[in-house]
Amino acid sequence: MNSAIVRALLVRGMLAGLCAGVLAFAFAYLVGEGPVDAAIAFEEANSHHAHGGEELVSRSAQSTVGLATGVLVFGVAVGGIAALAFCFALGRIGRFGPRATAALTALAAFLTVYLVPTLKFPAQPPAVGNPDTIGQRTSLYFLMIALSVLLGVAAVLLGRRLAPAWGNWNASIAAAVAFVAAVTVAMVFLPSGENAPKGFPATDLWEFRMASLGVQAILWATLGLLFGPLAERVLEPRPATATAGRGAELSAPVA
């Protein structure tokens, strides 16, 4: 795959990520802002420190412009990264076309980058948790992401190695079982993340985590479904010779 095609796919991946970010922002604003407001209200009601001075960014700006900026930038970034991952995966994970490869790449990224780490370190609303441990919790979360991605790549390589002897189906099952087992071991040995403080409403916590899951699911699903057709147009363009030939036949004089 030459650099011009990679560049074209990168641009289309970023465009697909932007569109996915728009849908994810709409969901986050409509569904996720309620639990965030509840978490902020809980933190203010249980804080023992007086809050002085005026806030630098208003809550309304945070929930609109700030949220949109963060989600859209994230969407464009993951769209570009997913496009590069698509270039690497195309033709290496099976005889799949551009659409199927894009969907499988997005699904794998959703599982390894978000879902698996979240099972170990569930999402927590802002203003909830001990600020003194935020650095440790962030490091553990990114460590879990790195382990999940590396184990996912190792599982794919294992499946490819076993496929000639075991068959594609059996090799895929074995690779999936090995991935789940390795991830389980990693979760057991890594320290647990900090839970929500006592008294925090369980309903608000559940709604926030479901909203976080929904944002990521919408983002990656839209990216996988939208990027596939865009990539297909780059990799499998319509033959210009056939179109030119038909045009010549129509314009030819009748004897």
Side-chain angles (χ1 to χ4, degrees), residues 9-66:
L9 292 174
L10 178 62
V11 172
R12 282 157 178 79
M14 297 172 69
L15 178 61
L18 179 63
C19 296
V22 172
L23 295 180
F25 162 71
F27 182 86
Y29 179 76
L30 296 175
V31 179
E33 284 303 305
V36 172
D37 290 335
I40 294 175
F42 177 86
E43 192 270 342
E44 292 177 349
N46 291 272
S47 177
H48 301 289
H49 303 282
H51 298 277
E54 185 178 356
E55 58 183 357
L56 297 178
V57 182
S58 65
R59 174 68 187 126
S60 60
Q62 295 175 9
S63 62
T64 52
V65 178

Side-chain angles (χ1 to χ4, degrees), residues 93-164:
I93 59 174
R95 297 180 179 178
F96 298 107
R99 297 194 183 203
T101 302
L104 290 174
T105 302
L107 177 61
F110 171 74
L111 292 176
T112 57
V113 176
Y114 175 77
L115 187 59
V116 170
T118 299
L119 294 177
K120 176 63 179 179
F121 303 106
Q124 290 192 166
V128 172
N130 186 359
D132 297 333
T133 62
I134 188 171
Q136 178 185 6
R137 288 182 281 126
T138 302
S139 300
L140 290 173
Y141 183 75
F142 280 103
L143 176 59
M144 190 66 220
I145 292 177
L147 289 174
S148 177
V149 172
L150 291 176
L151 292 174
V153 173
V156 173
L157 295 177
L158 176 63
R160 290 187 60 189
R161 175 163 294 188
L162 296 177

Side-chain angles (χ1 to χ4, degrees), residues 103-237:
L104 290 174
T105 302
L107 177 61
F110 171 74
L111 292 176
T112 57
V113 176
Y114 175 77
L115 187 59
V116 170
T118 299
L119 294 177
K120 176 63 179 179
F121 303 106
Q124 290 192 166
V128 172
N130 186 359
D132 297 333
T133 62
I134 188 171
Q136 178 185 6
R137 288 182 281 126
T138 302
S139 300
L140 290 173
Y141 183 75
F142 280 103
L143 176 59
M144 190 66 220
I145 292 177
L147 289 174
S148 177
V149 172
L150 291 176
L151 292 174
V153 173
V156 173
L157 295 177
L158 176 63
R160 290 187 60 189
R161 175 163 294 188
L162 296 177
W166 291 23
N168 291 332
W169 179 254
N170 292 331
S172 300
I173 293 178
V177 171
F179 174 74
V180 172
V183 166
T184 302
V185 172
M187 289 184 178
V188 169
F189 283 95
L190 282 178
S192 61
E194 183 180 345
N195 294 323
K198 294 182 179 180
F200 188 81
T203 302
D204 294 333
L205 184 60
W206 174 257
E207 290 179 353
F208 177 82
R209 289 175 176 173
M210 289 298 101
S212 176
L213 175 63
V215 169
Q216 293 290 332
I218 290 174
L219 181 72
W220 287 106
T222 304
L223 179 60
L225 295 176
L226 183 59
F227 177 66
L230 295 177
E232 191 175 54
R233 293 185 178 183
V234 175
L235 298 171
E236 301 176 3

